[in-house]
Amino acid sequence: MKTINLNSIINATNINLFAKTQEDAQLLINQLNETYLDYSSKNTREYLSLDYSLDKKERNQATLAENEARILYLEGRIPQLEEGDLRRKELELELEELQVDVKKTNFDLQNSYGFDMIIRGLSYDINQLRTTSLLGVLKDIFDYVEAQSWTVNDYGLKAKVV
C-alpha cells in the first residue's frame, strides 16, 4: 500500500518560507488553529452520528426480533380463536400492524446501514488523518518557532502535538 505524505506542502524543511518573522508564524498558527477547530468539530459530529446510527441499528434489530417473535406467536394463536371473536379480530389487526412494522424496519436496515455507513466511516477516517497531519505540521512549526526563540500563542495545540 502506498503511503500518502499529507505534509508535502509545509514541513520542517520549508517552514521558513511560510514564517519569516514571528508575526508570520503567529498568523500561520492562527489559521491552522481555525483549521484544527474545524476538523476537530467535524470529527466529533461524524463520530457521534456514526455512534448514533450504530446504536439505532442495534435497537432496530432488537425491535425486529421482538416483532418477529410476536408474529410467530400470533400466527399460532389466531387460528385457535373462533371466527368473529372480538379478541381474534384484535389479534389479527395487531398481526397486520406488526407485519407492516417488520417490513419498514427491514427496509430501514437495508437502506440506512449499508454503503452509506461505509462512506461515512471512511469520511471519519479521512478527517482523522487530516487532523493527525495538521498536528504534524503544527509540531514542525512549534519546533521552528522555538528554535527561533519566538513567542507565539499556541492555543493549547502544543500540548496536543506528538
Side-chain angles (χ1 to χ4, degrees), residues 39-40 48 50 59 65 73 75 78 91 98 108 118-119 121 131 133 150 157:
Y39 287 171
S40 181
L48 291 175
L50 284 169
R59 286 191 306 271
Y73 165 77
E75 287 174 341
I78 290 172
L91 293 179
L98 284 171
D108 287 345
I118 293 169
I119 296 301
T131 303
S133 178
W150 293 338
L157 292 171

Side-chain angles (χ1 to χ4, degrees), residues 93-107:
L93 180 60
E94 180 184 352
L95 175 64
E96 290 172 6
E97 289 171 349
L98 284 171
Q99 288 169 334
V100 169
D101 284 347
V102 164
K103 286 179 183 180
K104 284 181 182 178
T105 303
N106 275 324
F107 180 80

Side-chain angles (χ1 to χ4, degrees), residues 17-125:
L17 298 174
F18 298 92
K20 296 179 191 251
T21 66
Q22 180 174 323
E23 292 76 23
D24 290 343
Q26 185 62 63
L27 180 61
L28 187 57
I29 291 168
N30 292 351
Q31 292 168 336
L32 291 174
N33 178 54
E34 288 297 318
T35 303
Y36 173 80
L37 292 174
D38 182 49
Y39 287 171
S40 181
S41 173
K42 190 171 185 175
N43 285 346
T44 301
R45 286 190 315 269
E46 285 187 355
Y47 176 80
L48 291 175
S49 174
L50 284 169
D51 192 47
Y52 173 78
S53 293
L54 290 173
D55 285 347
K56 186 176 176 185
K57 180 180 181 182
E58 289 175 10
R59 286 191 306 271
N60 282 346
Q61 288 172 328
T63 300
L64 184 63
E66 290 170 9
N67 288 347
E68 288 173 339
R70 181 72 178 163
I71 286 172
L72 286 175
Y73 165 77
L74 292 173
E75 287 174 341
R77 179 70 176 116
I78 290 172
Q80 296 173 356
L81 300 173
E82 291 183 28
E83 289 289 332
D85 185 348
L86 181 61
R87 180 68 181 141
R88 180 182 177 124
K89 290 180 181 182
E90 289 173 351
L91 293 179
E92 288 172 339
L93 180 60
E94 180 184 352
L95 175 64
E96 290 172 6
E97 289 171 349
L98 284 171
Q99 288 169 334
V100 169
D101 284 347
V102 164
K103 286 179 183 180
K104 284 181 182 178
T105 303
N106 275 324
F107 180 80
D108 287 345
L109 286 169
Q110 290 171 355
N111 291 315
S112 300
Y113 305 104
F115 186 70
D116 181 58
M117 283 291 283
I118 293 169
I119 296 301
R120 288 171 52 205
L122 287 172
S123 177
Y124 173 77
D125 290 342

